Structures are given as C-alpha cells and as structure tokens.
Amino acid sequence: MSEPVIHVSDLTRRFGARTALASVSLSLPRGAVYGLVGANGAGKTTLIKHILGLLRAESGSVRVFGLDPVAEPVGVLSRIGYLSEEHDLPAWMRVGELVRYSRAFYPAWDDAYAEELRQAFALDSSARIKELSKGQKARAGLLVALSYRPELLVLDEPSSGLDPIVRRDILGAILRTIAHEGRTVLFSSHLLDEVEQVADHVTMISDGRIALSAPLETIHESYRTLEEAFVARVGT
Ligand code: ATP
C-alpha cells in the first residue's frame, strides 16, 4: 500500500478545559473521497486545521504527504487545495481578478479548467466578491481550490451556502473525478445523506473522538444508511 496522504497519530487538542480532539488516529491512502462527519462542535474543523498546519499538535503527530505541515508549510500547502467554512476571499476583488491573482501562486494552474468551472458555477468575471451571495462565494472559493488540480483537496463544510443542484450534481461529480484521477479529497459535513452520496470512506467524529472510520461499503454491511450508523455509534 502506498504511503498515506494523511497520517494522524494519537492527536489530542485542548482549548482550556475543552478537549476538542481526544487521541485521534487516522490514516488515509490516496485516491479516494473521505467524508468527515460530526455534529456542531465535534472537532472536524480542529482536525482540518491540524492537517493544514494552522494548529500545532500538542500531543501526537500529523503528517501530510509524509511531511509535518507545521514544520514544512510550503511543501504541504502548495499541494493542497483548501476551502474554509468561511470561504475567506479578498472582498474588494472582482472574480476575474481573483482568478488572475490566484493563478500566480500555482505553476500547475489550469486556465481551461478554471474557465470551465467559472461557467459551470455561473460566475460573472466582472462581479465583485463582496457583492456575491454566500453560495456564489462558495463557488468562487471552490473554483480557486480546484483550478490548480491539487493532490489533496480539503473542504470544510463545502455545502454551506451551496444550492442543492450545485451540491448534488456539480460538486459530487467534481469530487468523483478527482478520486478517479488518483487524487484525494477530504471534506467535512454534517449532512449525512450528502456524505453518503459522495464519500468512499466515512469517518465519524463525536466529542473529539473517532466513533467510526470505515469504507462506506463496509458500513453498509452493518447499517442500512449512514444515519442509522450515526445514531448507533454517536447517538442522535
Ligand atoms: P462545526 O460543525 O460547528 O463547525 P466542528 O466539528 O468543526 O464544528 P470544531 O470547530 O473543531 O468543531 O470545535 C471543536 C470544539 O473545540 C468546540 O467545542 C469548539 O467550541 C472548540 N474550539 C474550537 N476552536 C477553538 C478555539 N480557538 N478556542 C476555544 N475553543 C475552540
């Protein structure tokens, strides 16, 4: 088996008295779509921030492409496409400017694909980002995260703000294509039916602990739906 893209070992993170992650271990091989599910406050974003090197492991370790993302941020982040929950984008730019600005950072930027996505997402190049709706901002953030064809795509709650058609038809297809190309997607969500439609492998997190982590097919051997598995492992 090839080296995992993400390897998290015994990671614990506290914020004051609150334990956000408790002894989390996870090993994700490349070439699949990984869904990270959990209720609000379960620890999903905290785990993602460790993977991106935005938080330093207090105990335990995190490796991405075999590298420590805190010690080697350039080596790791240049290979990751990331969409945050807040879709933080420069508000004053126009969509076309955002594309030109972003492509300067990435030698592998794919102009034709960026244009294809801009059209699929119905984004107007001359529109100012601050005037976009939440869903349009999410589309613009996705366009940037996807257009340099990163080896690892990390999406924190990508659906928040996206309408059902983009979510189901466009995002689902994009994520499947990425996995078919041998690249890797990790996305967090609290929408179980959405994760069930797209993910190959599901990790459930509850109160900072991994409640279940398995291929969707294996989960379906024991549970009819992901919701049933979630209720059994995590509670309502
Ligand atoms: P959501 O679905 O609401 O985004 P989440 O699963 O992403 O939730 P996290 O944001 O990882 O959850 O938060 C896990 C826990 O850690 C929560 O109890 C949260 O209040 C706490 N927490 C996260 N970041 C901080 C911080 N910077 N300071 C203090 N507490 C924090």
Side-chain angles (χ1 to χ4, degrees):
M1 178 87 90
S2 65
E3 186 182 73
V5 178
I6 297 172
H7 188 76
V8 175
S9 176
D10 214 8
L11 177 66
T12 295
R13 175 76 198 200
R14 292 186 189 85
F15 293 107
R18 168 93 195 161
T19 302
L21 294 174
S23 253
V24 165
S25 294
L26 208 56
S27 196
L28 308 183
R30 69 181 63 241
V33 178
Y34 295 94
L36 183 61
V37 300
N40 288 132
K44 304 180 295 294
T45 302
T46 304
L47 178 57
I48 286 175
K49 285 184 174 169
H50 280 87
I51 291 167
L52 297 169
L54 302 176
L55 289 173
R56 184 184 297 274
E58 284 173 339
S59 73
S61 72
V62 177
R63 292 291 176 273
V64 182
F65 310 117
L67 304 171
D68 174 350
V70 174
E72 301 188 64
V74 177
V76 172
L77 291 177
S78 62
R79 297 161 73 184
I80 296 182
Y82 170 53
L83 180 67
S84 76
E85 227 175 336
E86 291 82 25
H87 321 125
D88 21 35
L89 300 168
W92 53 273
M93 278 190 193
R94 295 181 193 275
V95 169
E97 288 167 340
L98 174 72
V99 170
R100 285 197 294 283
Y101 167 81
S102 306
R103 76 197 285 276
F105 290 96
Y106 300 103
W109 185 272
D110 184 335
D111 280 322
Y113 186 46
E115 180 54 20
E116 200 183 297
L117 288 169
R118 191 191 64 72
Q119 289 180 21
F121 291 161
L123 286 167
D124 175 358
S125 293
S126 63
R128 280 206 195 276
I129 288 168
K130 65 175 174 222
E131 284 157 12
L132 299 181
S133 71
K134 193 175 175 216
Q136 288 168 328
K137 281 188 188 127
R139 294 172 188 210
L142 265 177
L143 186 158
V144 171
L146 290 163
S147 292
Y148 62 101
R149 300 193 180 273
E151 279 171 72
L152 170 62
L153 182 67
V154 178
L155 308 173
D156 198 356
E157 296 276 358
S159 297
S160 58
L162 288 183
D163 55 73
I165 296 181
V166 173
R167 236 159 52 193
R168 195 189 57 225
D169 298 348
I170 304 182
L171 188 60
I174 289 170
L175 302 190
R176 291 260 43 89
T177 306
I178 291 175
H180 283 145
E181 290 171 356
R183 298 184 286 138
T184 310
V185 180
L186 173 67
F187 77 104
S188 75
S189 179
H190 57 268
L191 303 173
L192 293 170
D193 55 340
E194 170 181 275
V195 175
E196 191 148 29
Q197 277 171 29
V198 181
D200 301 304
H201 186 289
V202 177
T203 297
M204 289 181 186
I205 185 161
S206 168
D207 275 338
R209 291 176 195 281
I210 304 279
L212 174 65
S213 188
L216 190 60
E217 266 178 32
T218 310
I219 295 174
H220 278 154
E221 286 168 13
S222 307
Y223 304 99
R224 216 164 32 88
T225 62
L226 209 49
E227 192 178 337
E228 221 176 86
F230 194 82
V231 171
R233 295 299 185 107
V234 176
T236 47

